[in-house]
Amino acid sequence: MPDVSIFHRPKLAGQLADQILHTSPTSASPSGVFLAAPRRTGKSTFVREDLRPALEAKKAIVIYVDLWADRNVDPSELLAAAVRAEMGEHANAVAKIAKGFGISGGKVGGIDFSLDRIGIGKDVTLAQALGALSDEIKQPIVIVIDEAQHALTTQAGMDSLFAMKAARDELNSSAHFGLRLVCTGSNRDKLAMLRNSRDQAFYGAPLVPFPHLGEDYIDWFCKHVGLPAALDPAAVFELFKKAGWRPELLGAAADALRFDFGIAAGDVPSRFAEAVDEQIEGATSETLRVVRALTPLQTAVLLVLAQSGDNYRPFEAATVEKYRESLTAAGEPAESAAKVDVPSVQAALQALQEKSLIWRASRGVYALEDASLREVLLDTGSGADPAAPAQM
């Protein structure tokens, strides 16, 4: 029986699975499919609980890896570990590799071969390992990489993406049984870096906005919420939109009411609406608390980055002048603004990374860590154009 503690989306999962596995000479899907959705809107849960089972129901082997599972581990190693784990389930594929390369090591399934020799810069490439796996299972393989943009943060991570491209090209030939890549990410701009440029591994792959949860989810939520009185789905749906389509905010609001043992049934709808507003305000306040603890220059750099988006060039003269204008607009002394230079900007960017406010690709491209931060900054007036009259 399905788990009633999780809202399932079988129709969407089936549609996506069909498209992912679809083979057509006019389709770019074999290049990989990219699904973008804001963080905490249910994307990862859907991938694990719905999409993976739907792909497996269509006789595909699914290898899932979350590149945010351990941010202290290089993304390339997380990806290689996921491939090794699947290989460990197929002794004949391991035997084929061991025989072909004459490698000995730890015992795996009675075979003299150590799986830790598979990976970037190892004895056995990811393409070779996946090729052997494809020949053994005679089924399509789907590799799902959650938070795939994190691979761009290290050179080894970027190399692993090209290794996946090599494996994809090989396994989609007539000699094997197919490989599909599904990359998900919480920031559309960062995810697009994987497929917008000709020098990226998945140039031209489809980038699909992941559908947010809708009214059917709200109907399910209201049915299972378990409060002393029923909630009106139409009213809750409006609250859900206000909460940025984030189910965890509705859940947290419901929890607040569950532990209010003196609440009257007639007060439940209004108190639930208040609790959702409190959750939204709390999430925004925590973000702003971190922002307001920044140094003036760190704040200026963050605001200019938020305003510039894809056009952000951190060290150009024009950008440095924007930092100075932002400092002046915030009331900083003219001599402080005049001291802004490339080394001080580098230090500010490093500090913002350490505070998890910005993200840096290995090639020096910067973006906001969470795309919702820009909206928070602009909504509160903190992100006003530094060239405009001061609003502070």
Side-chain angles (χ1 to χ4, degrees), residues 162-373:
F162 280 96
M164 288 294 98
K165 176 183 182 299
R168 177 203 69 192
D169 294 345
E170 173 63 25
L171 269 66
N172 284 342
S173 70
S174 59
H176 301 283
F177 296 87
L179 172 66
R180 297 292 187 270
L181 292 157
V182 180
C183 297
T184 76
S186 54
N187 186 309
R188 183 183 178 89
D189 292 341
K190 290 190 284 189
L191 197 62
M193 294 180 192
L194 295 168
R195 44 82 64 195
N196 281 355
S197 173
R198 289 184 180 275
D199 62 355
Q200 289 298 333
F202 304 110
Y203 175 67
L207 177 57
V208 182
F210 180 71
H212 54 68
L213 293 163
E215 293 182 69
D216 51 349
Y217 165 72
I218 296 302
D219 290 341
W220 175 88
F221 176 85
C222 292
K223 179 180 178 181
H224 293 89
V225 68
L227 295 177
L231 296 173
D232 175 17
V236 174
F237 185 61
E238 292 305 312
L239 291 170
F240 188 45
K241 290 192 289 185
K242 186 177 180 181
W245 313 100
R246 290 174 288 179
E248 66 178 26
L249 296 188
L250 296 190
D255 287 341
L257 268 65
R258 289 192 190 99
F259 287 93
D260 184 355
F261 299 114
I263 190 171
D267 294 335
V268 167
S270 61
R271 279 291 299 120
F272 180 76
E274 291 171 4
V276 172
D277 285 340
E278 289 166 3
Q279 291 297 321
I280 296 170
E281 182 180 351
T284 302
S285 297
E286 176 59 24
T287 299
L288 289 177
R289 185 185 68 81
V290 175
V291 171
R292 287 166 181 157
L294 300 176
T295 69
L297 180 56
Q298 290 167 7
T299 301
V301 171
L302 182 64
L303 295 181
V304 172
L305 168 57
Q307 293 151 6
S308 301
D310 291 344
N311 295 319
Y312 182 60
R313 306 290 184 268
F315 308 119
E316 287 185 355
T319 308
V320 173
E321 185 59 32
K322 287 183 180 181
Y323 303 143
R324 293 170 179 155
E325 291 169 357
S326 182
L327 286 168
T328 301
E332 291 299 311
E335 56 268 27
S336 296
K339 292 179 181 178
V340 176
D341 57 12
V342 170
S344 62
V345 171
Q346 288 176 322
L349 288 167
Q350 179 63 38
L352 292 170
Q353 281 183 261
E354 292 171 356
K355 297 175 186 295
S356 298
L357 291 172
I358 68 171
W359 172 90
R360 180 184 183 275
S362 63
R363 295 183 177 182
V365 177
Y366 292 89
L368 294 176
E369 181 65 66
D370 190 334
S372 65
L373 176 58

